[in-house]
Amino acid sequence: MSATETEYLTLLGQRAKAASFILASLTAKQKNLLLATIADHLAQRKDDILQANAQDIIAAKQSGLTEAMIDRLMLDEGRLGGIIADIDNVIALADPVGKEAESRVLDNGLRLTRRSVPLGVVGVIYEARPNVTVDIAVLALKTGNAVILRGGKETLTSNKVLSEVIRDALVSLDLPKDAVQLIDSPERSLVSGLLRLDKYVDMIIPRGGQNLQRLCAEQSSIPVILGGIGICHLLVDKQADLVRAIDVIANAKVQRPTVCNALDTLLIHQQIAAEFIPNIASHLHSLGVRFHACAIALPYLDGLGFDVTPAHDESFSTEWLSLTLGIKVVNDIDEAVEHIRQYSTGHSEAILTDNIHTASDFMNQVDSAAVYVNASTRFTDGSQFGLGAEVAVSTQKLHARGPMALDALTTYKWLAWGDYTCRQ
Amino acid sequence: MSATETEYLTLLGQRAKAASFILASLTAKQKNLLLATIADHLAQRKDDILQANAQDIIAAKQSGLTEAMIDRLMLDEGRLGGIIADIDNVIALADPVGKEAESRVLDNGLRLTRRSVPLGVVGVIYEARPNVTVDIAVLALKTGNAVILRGGKETLTSNKVLSEVIRDALVSLDLPKDAVQLIDSPERSLVSGLLRLDKYVDMIIPRGGQNLQRLCAEQSSIPVILGGIGICHLLVDKQADLVRAIDVIANAKVQRPTVCNALDTLLIHQQIAAEFIPNIASHLHSLGVRFHACAIALPYLDGLGFDVTPAHDESFSTEWLSLTLGIKVVNDIDEAVEHIRQYSTGHSEAILTDNIHTASDFMNQVDSAAVYVNASTRFTDGSQFGLGAEVAVSTQKLHARGPMALDALTTYKWLAWGDYTCRQ
């Protein structure tokens, strides 16, 4: 990183930290007014935002991005309306800041409490979708945090306008505009620099693929919330209802195959493999699913009228994010659990079984953020869990695991009142 | 790191992870029996342990360690008895594993709960005191975690015997001995290697000085709990009771100057500086305290009959861990808060004031793990806070902040029971 870049990031960090102290003192009412003001400003500046996005789209087409990718970058009146409407949902949520717990008077008279407070400064590194710029800024401000945003280069023009609109809204209420700052250069070295800004930044949230997650885990001196990568498994036990199983598996695989809680590997108990595999495979094939199958499963997939890829080294260590599905036959639940321990990213796993002991064993032995009995993996999601807002889906074990709600953007401090109290 | 070292650490990691799955399935009763068995084995093997420690002490003397340092390494019958007695205290604590929260039935019939579970594998890097080997192994096992220990080279012989005794206790109950493993070589590269073992290790706790903390923050790809470094401040407000203040400040500074919650910098409101500084300084001097004072404080320290060091660049950024104290006069509470924001390590800060508004402002504006009104900073401690056991004192904001109790060695997973439930 160049000296200029270091200086630039240090300034960003200092400004964010200074802003965070002011944000931390705001009441829930003041923060909700801020969010409403941001929604107003976004609505008023609609044309500027769509114009900036149109520039990003032209550049994306020129650089040959796929249609699917371009669709992800694209904002139109409807989508922008949705982003603005979502702000109202966040306003309606309870403020997790200022809750007190563990309050008590100690034997020596010291009155102790543990109060929830904002984290301070959150750094968010994300790709593609420009809605994240607004979403994450709004969630951070709702919880009294300053935020440093680093979006993808494909939406830099959109992100610049979106963050400027949010900063204008802050200024209109005499609040520090540096509560929301965008890294406005696509230089990759700035990501590495952001990850070492531990003097000012309290948490890094990478929202993107495996490479970004790995980069953050390896380079960051700031605590990182890893997540959003799901190699998800579903085990069909020998005692599952093999008729009802079909809809659940189809739901897990097909409903939205491009997301992290979609099914990647179907594990099938060997005792029902001969009966079940042709049925489920035919059904999923009719929905457009392709298969990578283990050597034991392959014969059962023969003669169904479609090709099947024999599972190779990476078939079970790939998050498909598409209509491909791995199929593996297991001898028993132990082998299924072993497979999951080896290949899972700790996101979401499910078992279908009517045996209560098998269900319980699976839940106890599988160490993932979400474990399901007789349900689709697709439920791992903040709004499905009824958590209100989703900041990210964590697959690590510290601070927050699974869908992270607003309270994951807070920490706490211990407060104690004495009467000139000394330790004995 | 050499290929042999990589292989060695990978094996350690794999064994720890495998052991962790078995530990996670133990009941509180089984875990308490294990702890009692460890206490028995330690008592039975007392002579072996003291003999090993005697070897470490001889080596320490030969290599010229200070008396104070050698005292920290030393075990005798009394100290070993204390270590064993502490195990009983941990047995008496409630098991934080298996608590359920957020339990509810969602609109779609899915029954959801968030269950506390062990973290898995904890890596602990520590220096000097061999009691940590037992303490941390016991706390990890109590919470169903496997642990990889990396102690200081000065106590390697003691640690080898202590960990072997614990492993024998595990084996005597048919539990996996690899639940507790010691890195049995003093090579520094093994610390770096441990910090990259993210495939197997879920959390790193460094218990040691600033250099170790920094190394872990910078090199670890595993989440790290930083802590135990306290540059602690106490502000004497213009409205403090200047008579009662003296005992509190003496308590914060003198009671145990070598620990992290001892006072490092005394901030004094300018309106009471002339009156208070000579009084507090004379009293502290009589207790053996030396001073580094800012330019405004210096004249008030003149003619008291002892020398005072003018504060230099590092006077306020040093954790003294000794009877030295920084003194700085501030214009008002804002300047005090600014000073704390600049120099504090986020551990413990205090204000002495009889003004309720000033107290409240200080508590709200100071962003440290523990903030005190009219009390000594010395209370930041798991047992003082009534938390039972103290794993570490965290000065970071994620996962745990301040004194960390047993529940900081747990995470949670979301469990959901459906009836072949699909997402709409």
Side-chain angles (χ1 to χ4, degrees):
Chain A
M1 204 169 46
S2 70
T4 321
E5 285 176 338
T6 305
E7 205 178 309
Y8 168 74
L9 286 173
T10 303
L11 204 59
L12 237 61
Q14 287 169 339
R15 287 174 176 163
K17 189 53 103 182
S20 77
F21 292 123
I22 296 168
L23 289 177
S25 69
L26 300 183
T27 63
K29 200 171 162 183
Q30 288 172 307
K31 289 183 281 189
N32 285 338
L33 173 63
L34 168 59
L35 267 46
T37 307
I38 289 172
D40 285 348
H41 279 241
L42 287 169
Q44 283 159 23
R45 301 275 301 273
K46 196 182 61 180
D47 293 343
D48 295 348
I49 296 165
L50 295 181
Q51 221 161 36
N53 185 251
Q55 288 182 37
D56 281 333
I57 298 295
I58 290 169
K61 284 181 178 160
Q62 282 169 352
S63 69
L65 288 193
T66 64
E67 279 299 316
M69 191 66 178
I70 288 172
D71 183 63
R72 293 184 64 203
L73 308 183
M74 200 266 289
L75 287 177
D76 56 22
E77 218 151 312
R79 286 184 181 181
L80 188 55
I83 292 171
I84 294 170
D86 277 344
I87 298 179
D88 282 334
N89 297 334
V90 177
I91 291 174
L93 296 172
D95 184 353
V97 169
K99 283 193 230 167
E100 297 198 350
E102 309 249 4
S103 305
R104 77 204 103 124
V105 179
L106 303 177
D107 290 348
N108 55 15
L110 202 65
R111 183 158 64 85
L112 188 69
T113 193
R114 209 182 77 180
R115 182 188 294 171
S116 65
V117 296
L119 276 171
V121 179
V122 179
V124 185
I125 305 168
Y126 54 103
E127 294 164 350
R129 296 177 201 264
N131 62 307
V132 176
T133 306
V134 179
D135 288 353
I136 205 80
V138 161
L139 295 170
L141 294 172
K142 171 80 183 188
T143 45
N145 291 289
V147 70
I148 297 177
L149 301 168
R150 161 68 188 213
K153 68 173 188 302
E154 301 81 5
T155 47
L156 188 54
T157 314
S158 310
N159 289 341
K160 276 184 185 170
V161 174
L162 288 168
S163 60
E164 274 315 315
V165 172
I166 296 170
R167 287 160 64 89
D168 288 346
L170 281 155
V171 170
S172 77
L173 296 172
D174 278 329
L175 292 171
K177 61 177 190 282
D178 293 327
V180 176
Q181 294 179 96
L182 177 76
I183 295 182
D184 62 2
S185 149
E187 281 301 322
R188 289 183 71 98
S189 54
L190 290 169
V191 171
S192 304
L194 174 60
L195 295 175
R196 313 302 281 187
L197 223 55
D198 51 70
K199 196 166 169 195
Y200 309 108
V201 180
D202 297 292
M203 177 200 255
I204 292 286
I205 305 178
R207 291 182 40 162
Q210 198 100 49
N211 289 342
L212 175 63
Q213 304 280 329
R214 200 61 220 156
L215 177 84
C216 291
E218 288 183 355
Q219 294 196 3
S220 183
S221 58
I222 304 164
V224 177
I225 298 291
L226 298 177
I229 309 284
I231 298 181
C232 300
H233 299 80
L234 185 146
L235 168 63
V236 186
D237 180 46
K238 63 182 174 184
Q239 293 182 64
D241 182 327
L242 297 184
V243 177
R244 300 179 76 199
I246 288 179
D247 281 347
V248 178
I249 296 165
N251 183 263
K253 183 65 217 173
V254 176
Q255 197 209 25
R256 204 167 162 207
T258 56
V259 294
C260 58
N261 57 22
L263 182 62
D264 293 287
T265 303
L266 182 64
L267 301 171
I268 296 177
H269 195 289
Q270 46 98 2
Q271 283 189 34
I272 49 124
E275 175 189 353
F276 188 62
I277 289 178
N279 290 347
I280 185 66
S282 300
H283 182 69
L284 292 175
H285 173 72
S286 74
L287 300 171
V289 176
R290 302 164 297 268
F291 305 96
H292 284 220
C294 74
I296 301 172
L298 276 175
Y300 305 122
L301 290 155
D302 230 19
L304 297 176
F306 50 85
D307 287 340
V308 174
T309 309
H312 49 77
D313 272 1
E314 292 187 351
S315 295
F316 299 121
S317 56
T318 301
E319 186 189 24
W320 296 114
L321 298 171
S322 70
L323 284 171
T324 302
L325 179 69
I327 295 186
K328 182 183 164 77
V329 174
V330 293
N331 286 318
D332 50 26
I333 179 178
D334 289 345
E335 191 186 345
V337 168
E338 272 309 313
H339 179 94
I340 290 169
R341 285 179 181 166
Q342 187 174 350
Y343 293 103
S344 168
T345 53
H347 193 294
S348 302
E349 332 292 344
I351 185 173
L352 303 183
T353 185
D354 291 349
N355 183 305
I356 197 168
H357 305 292
T358 309
S360 178
D361 285 351
F362 185 84
M363 280 200 155
N364 290 337
Q365 290 177 38
V366 169
D367 185 32
S368 293
V371 189
Y372 297 89
V373 168
N374 298 337
S376 165
T377 54
R378 288 275 294 117
F379 288 105
T380 309
D381 174 295
S383 89
Q384 291 291 319
F385 275 18
L387 302 179
E390 181 178 285
V391 176
V393 177
S394 161
T395 54
Q396 59 161 43
K397 295 179 178 177
L398 267 66
H399 189 66
R401 197 177 192 198
M404 285 167 61
L406 282 181
D407 58 1
L409 293 179
T410 69
T411 181
Y412 54 81
K413 59 183 175 190
W414 294 90
L415 303 176
W417 293 260
D419 180 29
Y420 293 80
T421 313
C422 297
R423 179 164 171 180
Q424 295 305 310
Chain B
M1 204 169 47
S2 70
T4 323
E5 286 177 338
T6 305
E7 204 178 311
Y8 168 74
L9 285 174
T10 302
L11 203 60
L12 237 61
Q14 287 169 339
R15 286 172 175 162
K17 189 53 102 181
S20 77
F21 291 124
I22 296 167
L23 289 177
S25 70
L26 299 183
T27 63
K29 201 172 164 183
Q30 288 172 307
K31 289 182 282 190
N32 285 337
L33 173 63
L34 168 59
L35 266 47
T37 308
I38 290 171
D40 285 348
H41 279 242
L42 288 169
Q44 282 159 25
R45 301 274 300 276
K46 196 181 59 182
D47 294 343
D48 296 347
I49 295 165
L50 295 180
Q51 222 160 37
N53 185 251
Q55 289 182 37
D56 282 333
I57 298 294
I58 291 169
K61 285 181 177 160
Q62 283 169 350
S63 67
L65 287 193
T66 63
E67 280 298 318
M69 191 67 179
I70 288 172
D71 183 63
R72 294 185 65 203
L73 309 182
M74 199 266 290
L75 287 177
D76 56 22
E77 220 154 307
R79 287 185 180 180
L80 188 55
I83 292 172
I84 294 169
D86 277 344
I87 298 179
D88 282 334
N89 298 334
V90 177
I91 291 174
L93 296 173
D95 184 354
V97 169
K99 284 194 232 167
E100 297 198 349
E102 309 248 3
S103 306
R104 77 203 103 123
V105 178
L106 303 177
D107 289 349
N108 56 17
L110 201 66
R111 183 157 65 86
L112 187 69
T113 194
R114 209 181 78 180
R115 183 188 294 170
S116 65
V117 295
L119 275 172
V121 179
V122 179
V124 185
I125 305 168
Y126 54 104
E127 294 163 351
R129 300 177 197 263
N131 64 307
V132 177
T133 306
V134 179
D135 287 354
I136 205 79
V138 162
L139 295 171
L141 294 172
K142 171 80 182 186
T143 45
N145 291 290
V147 70
I148 297 177
L149 301 168
R150 160 68 187 212
K153 67 174 188 303
E154 301 82 6
T155 47
L156 187 54
T157 314
S158 310
N159 289 340
K160 275 183 185 169
V161 175
L162 289 168
S163 59
E164 274 316 315
V165 172
I166 295 170
R167 286 160 64 89
D168 289 346
L170 280 155
V171 169
S172 77
L173 296 172
D174 279 330
L175 292 171
K177 61 176 190 278
D178 292 326
V180 176
Q181 294 179 96
L182 177 76
I183 295 181
D184 63 1
S185 149
E187 282 301 323
R188 289 184 70 97
S189 55
L190 291 170
V191 171
S192 303
L194 174 60
L195 295 176
R196 314 300 284 188
L197 223 53
D198 51 69
K199 196 167 172 192
Y200 309 108
V201 180
D202 298 292
M203 178 200 255
I204 293 286
I205 305 179
R207 291 183 39 161
Q210 198 99 51
N211 290 342
L212 174 62
Q213 305 279 330
R214 199 62 221 156
L215 177 85
C216 290
E218 287 182 356
Q219 294 195 2
S220 183
S221 58
I222 303 164
V224 177
I225 298 290
L226 298 177
I229 309 284
I231 298 181
C232 300
H233 298 78
L234 185 146
L235 167 64
V236 186
D237 180 45
K238 62 181 175 185
Q239 293 182 64
D241 181 327
L242 298 184
V243 176
R244 301 179 75 198
I246 287 179
D247 280 348
V248 178
I249 296 165
N251 183 264
K253 182 65 218 171
V254 176
Q255 198 209 25
R256 204 167 163 206
T258 58
V259 294
C260 57
N261 58 21
L263 182 61
D264 293 286
T265 302
L266 183 63
L267 302 170
I268 297 177
H269 195 290
Q270 46 97 4
Q271 284 188 32
I272 49 124
E275 175 189 353
F276 188 62
I277 290 179
N279 290 349
I280 185 66
S282 300
H283 182 68
L284 292 175
H285 173 72
S286 74
L287 300 171
V289 177
R290 302 164 297 270
F291 307 96
H292 284 220
C294 73
I296 301 172
L298 276 175
Y300 305 123
L301 290 154
D302 229 19
L304 297 175
F306 50 84
D307 287 341
V308 173
T309 309
H312 48 78
D313 273 1
E314 292 187 352
S315 296
F316 299 122
S317 55
T318 301
E319 185 189 25
W320 296 113
L321 298 171
S322 71
L323 283 172
T324 301
L325 179 69
I327 296 186
K328 182 183 164 77
V329 174
V330 293
N331 285 320
D332 50 27
I333 178 179
D334 289 345
E335 191 186 346
V337 168
E338 271 311 312
H339 179 93
I340 291 170
R341 285 179 182 168
Q342 187 174 350
Y343 292 103
S344 168
T345 54
H347 194 294
S348 302
E349 332 292 344
I351 185 173
L352 303 182
T353 184
D354 290 350
N355 183 305
I356 196 169
H357 305 292
T358 308
S360 177
D361 284 351
F362 185 84
M363 280 200 155
N364 290 335
Q365 288 177 39
V366 169
D367 185 32
S368 292
V371 189
Y372 297 89
V373 168
N374 297 338
S376 165
T377 54
R378 288 274 295 117
F379 288 106
T380 308
D381 175 295
S383 89
Q384 291 291 320
F385 275 18
L387 302 178
E390 180 179 287
V391 176
V393 177
S394 162
T395 54
Q396 58 161 43
K397 295 180 178 177
L398 267 66
H399 190 67
R401 197 178 192 198
M404 284 167 61
L406 283 181
D407 58 0
L409 294 179
T410 69
T411 180
Y412 54 80
K413 60 184 174 189
W414 293 91
L415 302 177
W417 294 261
D419 180 28
Y420 293 80
T421 312
C422 298
R423 180 165 171 179
Q424 296 305 309

